[in-house]
Amino acid sequence: MTEAELYTVYKGVPMSARMHSPQALKHFEEFSFRSDDILIVTYPKSGTTWTQEIVPLIMSGGDPASVETVPNWRRVPWLEIGRSYTFNLEERPSPRMLATHYHYNMMPSSFFKAKPKVIYVMRNPKDVFTSSFHYYGMASFLENPGPQSEFLNKFLDGKVMFGSWFDHVKSWLNAEDKERIMYISYEEMIMDLKDSVARIAQFLDKSLDAEVTEKIAERCLFKNMKQNKMSNYSTAPPELMDQTKSEFLRKGIAGDWKNQLTVAEAEYFDAVYEDKMKDVKCKFVWD
Ligand code: A3P
């Protein structure tokens, strides 16, 4: 399939024509948020699936029933993806757990009125690139990444699904009502998962004792979560995602870009990063 057939542009951002159908986009546009919704927001490949495991475990007080029986895409549905609009989200009891890859300025009007809680997960963009490179090679609804240097230019120019990483991160960093947004990085979760679980629970006003926090963190370790059929996409049809090419839960580490980018590519990435992020005041763990 050609690039033009694979992508559709919505609010100025390239989306997958197959995954983000006109019905799904319309449903999200008209979706009614509630103030007690919990929304996980990420640029793709930043730790969405991981957070879709952590948040339900926190909200259930550590009860693994939902993560063991309900696939992640139904447990914490993406609002812009294909079948989510058939899940009767309007009927789900509060607090609903939802996800999106939208930039801040793509959000529908009810989001700005209801002001749900947002957990915004960010990841070192060089690792996002690395993860994306492998993902684009195994997902049939995305263009084949082609040579790495070409894909790098596309990624840095935002000519990939969900557009520019830089625009995405900046849009959410500049969001209003920041007391409703928790910013956390993939790297912090890697460094201390127990502390990250405790902080997310606190943000969600869920009190967990130390033993439950520990159990959730243990369950969500990469090696353990990889075994969960409801989260590792092993139930996804191989014609959609060919995990013989690259597993969805691939490596689960911070800093894999060092194995992927050449020295020249990494230097080029840094130069583009510096330019695009020059107005951003906050320091990231990967800086
Ligand atoms: P890698 O390809 O670098 O391994 P998303 O869910 O946003 O698409 O992100 C996918 C990335 O998160 C993949 O990165 C995947 O392996 C990683 N990931 C998923 N679950 C994880 C976990 N429990 N611990 C660490 N990384 C995890």
Side-chain angles (χ1 to χ4, degrees):
M1 272 185 152
T2 65
E3 228 175 286
E5 287 166 331
L6 286 166
Y7 293 117
T8 174
V9 175
Y10 180 69
K11 298 190 179 178
V13 171
M15 318 256 296
S16 152
R18 174 149 176 215
M19 299 304 278
H20 309 116
S21 65
Q23 296 98 307
L25 299 181
K26 183 167 183 289
H27 175 256
F28 192 2
E29 189 65 52
E30 293 166 359
F31 187 73
S32 280
F33 276 100
R34 300 180 196 146
S35 58
D36 54 9
D37 286 336
I38 300 163
L39 182 65
I40 296 168
V41 185
T42 54
Y43 184 86
K45 313 321 289 174
S46 300
T48 328
T49 316
W50 198 0
T51 318
Q52 286 170 317
E53 194 90 348
I54 294 171
V55 169
L57 284 166
I58 290 175
M59 294 312 288
S60 68
D63 180 348
S66 84
V67 299
E68 281 175 355
T69 55
V70 185
N72 67 309
W73 42 267
R74 193 178 267 273
R75 192 192 308 146
V76 187
W78 277 274
L79 288 162
E80 65 274 17
I81 280 191
R83 299 203 338 252
S84 298
Y85 70 93
T86 64
F87 294 167
N88 249 337
L89 297 177
E90 291 71 18
E91 309 295 317
R92 282 202 182 175
S94 289
R96 296 178 299 187
M97 295 172 283
L98 307 163
T100 184
H101 288 314
Y102 271 14
H103 297 222
Y104 182 68
N105 44 300
M106 293 172 79
M107 295 300 286
S109 58
S110 92
F111 170 82
F112 299 100
K113 287 192 202 110
K115 305 184 199 311
K117 279 191 176 171
V118 169
I119 301 169
Y120 186 71
V121 187
M122 309 170 260
R123 185 181 190 186
N124 182 337
K126 286 195 265 195
D127 281 335
V128 173
F129 167 80
T130 301
S131 185
S132 303
F133 184 70
H134 294 279
Y135 185 56
Y136 276 61
M138 65 85 120
S140 63
F141 53 92
L142 295 169
E143 60 172 317
N144 195 289
Q148 176 163 308
S149 56
E150 261 175 43
F151 188 65
L152 179 62
N153 282 321
K154 283 189 185 161
F155 181 85
L156 293 173
D157 286 345
K159 294 192 172 116
V160 287
M161 182 174 64
F162 285 102
S164 157
W165 178 91
F166 304 100
D167 291 349
H168 198 284
V169 169
K170 286 195 274 187
S171 78
W172 282 98
L173 287 177
N174 290 328
E176 285 172 9
D177 302 304
K178 290 217 184 44
E179 68 285 356
R180 303 289 290 168
I181 306 179
M182 173 179 187
Y183 297 95
I184 188 164
S185 65
Y186 180 95
E187 290 72 16
E188 287 167 274
M189 285 156 62
I190 288 280
M191 274 185 284
D192 192 340
L193 188 52
K194 211 170 100 186
D195 177 65
S196 301
V197 170
R199 282 168 49 212
I200 296 172
Q202 193 180 20
F203 174 70
L204 298 177
D205 294 318
K206 191 84 192 165
S207 81
L208 298 179
D209 60 38
E211 202 187 316
V212 174
T213 309
E214 175 116 40
K215 252 173 67 186
I216 294 175
E218 178 68 22
R219 223 197 135 82
C220 294
L221 285 176
F222 183 76
K223 64 175 185 322
N224 296 334
M225 208 181 118
K226 201 173 156 78
Q227 309 307 322
N228 184 358
K229 289 193 175 60
M230 291 293 127
S231 307
N232 63 13
Y233 285 94
S234 55
T235 58
E239 57 278 11
L240 195 69
M241 288 186 198
D242 184 351
Q243 298 212 48
T244 61
K245 291 184 179 158
S246 177
E247 289 178 293
F248 191 96
L249 271 84
R250 193 183 58 91
K251 278 200 182 171
I253 59 170
D256 193 35
W257 63 268
K258 292 176 195 145
N259 304 312
Q260 189 74 36
L261 297 177
T262 64
V263 172
E265 285 170 343
E267 281 173 6
Y268 177 58
F269 202 121
D270 288 344
V272 174
Y273 180 92
E274 219 156 278
D275 179 50
K276 300 236 192 221
M277 300 299 275
K278 60 179 179 295
D279 301 329
V280 176
K281 286 188 188 71
C282 84
K283 277 268 157 245
F284 301 97
V285 283
W286 56 80
D287 281 334

